[in-house]
Amino acid sequence: MAAGSFEGQYVWSPAADDRALARACMDVRAGRYLSAHEVLKETRDDFEVRAHRSLVLASVAADSDLAERWLAEEPGAEAALLWARVAMLRALRTADAGDRRQGALARIARSACDRAAKELPEDPTPWVAQLALTRLDRPRDPAPQGLLTAPAGPWYLFAHILRLDAWHREAHHRFLSYFFTRYGGSSSASWDVAAFLSQRAPATSPLRLLPLVALVEDYDPTALLADRTWEQPQWITTATSIHRNWFPRVADYRFTPVLDLSYLAHALFMAKREFEAREVFTAMGPFAARMPWSAFGDPAEQLSRARRSCGLPVPHGS
């Protein structure tokens, strides 16, 4: 489907235009794991895509016994990775629901991550799954120099991941989320960490988006002039700099980075930079992510409002 064309509805699938991943997700829903093995095995030298694909597949497999069955029938690095991701998601979902089984599921998840890490030691993905679990047990390693609030957190585990892949996208997002208020952190800590991590990253890196993620996370609709925050000079500069330095690189991506583009389009729209926002929306085509739009209301309605403001078509009836 051509960018800007909406003959149907928004495509909310996290697989987006990764057709092999989309087919693998269909097979997983049908109880088959061969294509999942294929799309994961081919990413052994591309950790960003491996992390993304394994997480999307796990989100589909988490409500079935496919991961356990695959590991029992054909054990290997890919089966172990999917099992680690599934176990991670189950533990986090159970904890978010306040279920008393969360401790047991967290222990299962950590064991699964350990197994996956041993299968393919150079792969940071199992360690990233471990990092996601740290918001449950809240490790308090001392922060390195350079942070104003010096927030304690899982710094040692994060440092280990960075030794494997210095700019791993999901690792940075998981680490930042540890400091979110809803997980026991604070606004000041999340702001500090987001700024620290983004400033370390190259200007052309999607990690420059981390402050925009923290900004959405801290959004309070009851605060005075809350929606005008993005119009402040520092946030206009942040968004336009990302548009200038990172956005042109998206054309070289194997698959459209829909979530990162969504955060950038949202920030530009809120900053009233409709021309730049229109370019980002056009690059996304029909693909959509619920964040950051869901922080402001119904995601489809919010996305359509932004697209209309930029003079772009929306699905019929939106």
Side-chain angles (χ1 to χ4, degrees):
M1 188 179 295
S5 172
F6 285 92
E7 298 173 0
Q9 299 296 318
Y10 295 124
V11 180
W12 297 100
S13 168
D17 53 353
D18 185 343
R19 294 181 179 178
L21 177 58
R23 287 193 295 269
C25 287
M26 292 179 62
D27 284 348
V28 167
R29 290 189 183 95
R32 299 186 294 267
Y33 54 74
L34 179 59
S35 56
H37 177 267
E38 291 172 349
V39 298
L40 290 178
K41 187 174 182 179
E42 74 172 23
T43 64
R44 288 191 178 188
D45 60 351
D46 190 334
F47 296 140
E48 290 294 334
V49 176
R50 188 172 179 84
H52 173 67
R53 283 182 168 180
S54 62
L55 185 60
V56 172
L57 288 167
S59 69
V60 177
D63 294 326
S64 72
D65 68 347
L66 180 134
E68 293 95 323
R69 183 161 48 82
W70 181 9
L71 192 63
E73 294 174 358
E74 297 186 28
E78 280 62 49
L81 178 60
L82 187 68
W83 167 232
R85 291 297 232 170
V86 164
M88 175 204 81
L89 287 179
R90 289 175 182 168
L92 295 177
R93 291 174 180 176
T94 303
D96 290 342
D99 193 309
R100 62 185 180 183
R101 297 174 298 166
Q102 64 175 299
L105 290 179
R107 287 190 292 274
I108 292 171
R110 291 190 185 95
S111 176
C113 291
D114 287 341
R115 176 171 179 170
K118 291 175 183 175
E119 288 279 354
L120 201 63
E122 66 271 24
D123 181 11
T125 318
W127 298 102
V128 175
Q130 288 269 30
L131 186 61
L133 295 167
T134 58
R135 67 175 171 86
L136 305 183
D137 59 356
R138 309 293 300 171
R140 307 283 292 172
D141 308 329
Q145 293 184 345
L147 288 95
L148 295 174
T149 60
W155 290 97
Y156 298 157
L157 176 55
F158 185 53
H160 175 72
I161 295 170
L162 298 189
R163 285 192 289 271
L164 295 172
D165 187 354
W167 309 116
H168 196 283
R169 182 198 175 280
E170 186 185 340
H172 282 74
H173 281 264
R174 294 288 187 186
F175 186 69
L176 175 60
S177 70
Y178 173 95
F179 299 95
F180 288 168
T181 303
R182 58 183 158 135
Y183 298 140
S186 67
S187 293
S188 59
S190 63
W191 285 114
D192 199 7
V193 170
F196 177 75
L197 297 181
S198 66
Q199 289 164 9
R200 288 177 63 253
T204 54
S205 170
L207 298 179
R208 290 286 179 145
L209 286 154
L210 289 171
L212 299 181
V213 175
L215 186 61
V216 171
E217 179 66 24
D218 208 40
Y219 173 71
D220 179 4
T222 66
L224 184 64
L225 301 176
D227 287 351
R228 302 292 295 274
T229 301
W230 285 262
E231 297 178 43
Q232 295 176 10
Q234 71 179 98
W235 297 117
I236 293 176
T237 299
T238 298
T240 55
S241 176
I242 295 167
H243 176 266
R244 182 174 62 255
N245 294 305
W246 170 70
F247 177 63
R249 300 293 185 96
V250 171
D252 298 326
Y253 276 46
R254 288 180 62 183
F255 311 108
T256 304
V258 177
L259 183 57
D260 287 337
L261 288 172
S262 294
Y263 272 98
L264 178 56
H266 173 265
L268 291 167
F269 161 67
M270 296 291 281
K272 300 191 183 306
R273 302 299 295 253
E274 284 89 354
F275 178 80
E276 292 91 338
R278 180 188 176 96
E279 290 185 332
V280 180
F281 281 128
T282 300
M284 293 168 61
F287 302 108
R290 300 192 185 280
M291 285 297 288
W293 311 106
S294 60
F296 302 82
D298 178 80
E301 292 177 1
Q302 295 295 318
L303 177 56
S304 291
R305 182 171 71 93
R307 286 182 60 91
R308 283 196 198 96
S309 177
C310 296
L312 289 170
V314 300
H316 180 69
S318 293

